Each structure stands twice: as structure tokens, then as C-alpha cells.
Amino acid sequence: QVQLVESGGGLVQPGGSLSVSCTASGSIFSINAMAWYRQTPGKQRELVAKVTSGGITDYADSVKGRFTISRDNAKNTVYLQMNSLKPEDTAVYYCHAYVVVTPRHEYSYWGQGTQVTVSS
């Protein structure tokens, strides 16, 4: 079994910064792409940023230049540094990973979500 556990998040003022992290644990052979998604009530979950096992990143247009995704493969951890936060960044942020549990089996896993609120 594999678990993704997020930490960080919270309340921050507009223009401020916040960091969230997500660590995978359990029966892990390797981890392919990792990503952060976010969701607000009544809306679909949307991709915020993703990073491949080789470190190639991609971002939603709405966060480019403000958010940075990174990962530490030795720690099975992905990070999201969020700068210049805006009220519209308020959402529950979810970690996602494609985890290889055996050399021939890859599965999709989600974290439990962490609330990020941008408000004065």
C-alpha cells in the first residue's frame, strides 16, 4: 500500500508566500510523474504543476512565474513553493503521483488534500 501525506498550507495574506510538501511512503519501487492539483467548491480539480522523475516541469498558465514545483527523489517528496499569492489561489491542494510498486505495475495515488487560503 502507498500513501501520500501532505503538509504545509494554511492562511496567508495576498502577495505572501507559502510552501506545501507531499511525501510518499509504503511499497514503492520508484515514482514517475508527481504533481499538484487544486480544487475549489463546485469546480473540477485542476492541474497546477507537474514534475517528471527527471525533473522536467510544467505549470498552469495561471501560476507560471509565481509557483515552483520540485522534488527530492531520495525522499519520495514533492514540493510546491507558492509566491505572490492571490485570493484566487485559495483552494484545497492535492498531491498526485504515479507510483511504480513493482517493475511492471504503476498506479495512481492522491494525497488527502491541504487547504490554502489567501485572504487579508
Side-chain angles (χ1 to χ4, degrees), residues 1-2 26-31 98-107 109:
Q1 188 65 286
V2 173
S27 181
I28 299 171
F29 181 79
S30 64
I31 303 177
Y98 286 105
V99 180
V100 180
V101 296
T102 72
R104 299 178 66 178
H105 295 89
E106 178 191 76
Y107 297 99
Y109 291 94

Side-chain angles (χ1 to χ4, degrees), residues 2-7 20-26 28 31 34 36 72-79 95-97 99 109-112:
V2 173
Q3 286 188 320
L4 301 183
V5 178
E6 295 139 345
S7 61
V20 291
S21 64
C22 170
T23 299
S25 62
I28 299 171
I31 303 177
M34 303 184 82
W36 287 96
D72 184 333
N73 291 332
K75 296 181 179 180
N76 292 332
T77 298
V78 62
Y79 306 93
C95 171
H96 177 268
V99 180
Y109 291 94
W110 290 94
Q112 80 283 1

Side-chain angles (χ1 to χ4, degrees), residues 80-120:
L80 186 68
Q81 176 65 41
M82 301 177 284
N83 298 328
S84 302
L85 282 160
K86 305 175 181 179
E88 51 264 42
D89 294 317
T90 296
V92 177
Y93 283 70
Y94 295 92
C95 171
H96 177 268
Y98 286 105
V99 180
V100 180
V101 296
T102 72
R104 299 178 66 178
H105 295 89
E106 178 191 76
Y107 297 99
S108 172
Y109 291 94
W110 290 94
Q112 80 283 1
T114 186
Q115 178 71 44
V116 172
T117 302
V118 185
S119 175
S120 55

Side-chain angles (χ1 to χ4, degrees), residues 8-23:
L11 174 65
V12 63
Q13 292 187 340
S17 297
L18 204 60
S19 179
V20 291
S21 64
C22 170
T23 299

